[in-house]
Amino acid sequence: MIWASVSSLALPVLAHKVKTNNEIGATLHVEPADQARTNEQTVVWFALTQKGGQTVPLRQCQCQLQVLQLPSKKSVMQPALRSINAEKYQGIPSATVLFKQPGAYLLELSGQPAAGTKFPPFQLQFDLTVAPGRAVSLPAKSAQPAPFKIMLVLLIPAVLLVSAITLVLLKIKKK
């Protein structure tokens, strides 16, 4: 991992975002296809490393992820982090998120060392644009096929006729 000020470079086509803070760095990965979309599960994972390139697995970090909607910076979720193996990284932090609205978001990953681990506390912020995804709608009432409608038209009167005949027969039998 390059520890120069990579995050401040203007790279127009950069699928993975790199941020550093207090000797900790992370590369944000977004799946599927490096693009978050509304109403579709998005997996975000962080290739978290210390200065020098040593991986920081989730078990060594008391990490938290907060998702903020921009520009208000209103917190919209704090998804639980889980450990995953991705590419060459073992046990790194990840979360599954479901964005309800398209737009700009800020992913804020913060952490401090777990017991027995040494690194300075950190806070990393990643901008993320969420594109419109699948529309969520209630199941539409499908048009009933014509044979079904004809069957209903014929069946309802038949049921009523049988019911009426049954009632008449019951009344006759009681007399």
Side-chain angles (χ1 to χ4, degrees), residues 18-128:
V18 178
K19 298 288 181 169
T20 61
N21 178 254
N22 290 338
E23 298 184 19
I24 296 291
T27 303
L28 168 66
H29 295 261
V30 178
E31 295 180 9
D34 296 320
Q35 178 64 61
R37 296 189 178 280
T38 57
N39 302 312
E40 297 177 17
Q41 286 194 348
T42 300
V43 175
V44 295
W45 55 273
F46 302 88
L48 194 59
T49 59
Q50 291 185 18
K51 188 173 184 177
Q54 180 183 353
T55 300
V56 178
L58 184 58
R59 65 180 159 70
Q60 293 179 356
C61 181
Q62 293 178 354
C63 293
Q64 292 182 342
L65 178 62
Q66 183 165 266
V67 180
L68 306 151
Q69 192 167 24
L70 296 176
S72 67
K73 289 196 174 183
K74 176 186 172 196
S75 178
V76 291
M77 66 183 98
Q78 291 181 327
L81 290 170
R82 60 181 166 71
S83 175
I84 65 163
N85 298 331
E87 296 178 5
K88 66 179 181 177
Y89 304 99
Q90 303 297 307
I92 57 174
S94 75
T96 301
V97 292
L98 185 65
F99 295 96
K100 298 292 185 186
Q101 298 178 338
Y105 289 84
L106 184 69
L107 303 182
E108 192 173 86
L109 179 68
S110 58
Q112 57 188 7
T117 307
K118 288 192 176 194
F119 58 81
F122 66 89
Q123 184 176 50
L124 304 169
Q125 296 182 335
F126 298 88
D127 292 317
L128 180 66

Side-chain angles (χ1 to χ4, degrees), residues 137-145 149:
S137 60
L138 297 174
K141 290 183 181 178
S142 61
Q144 300 295 337
K149 287 182 180 178

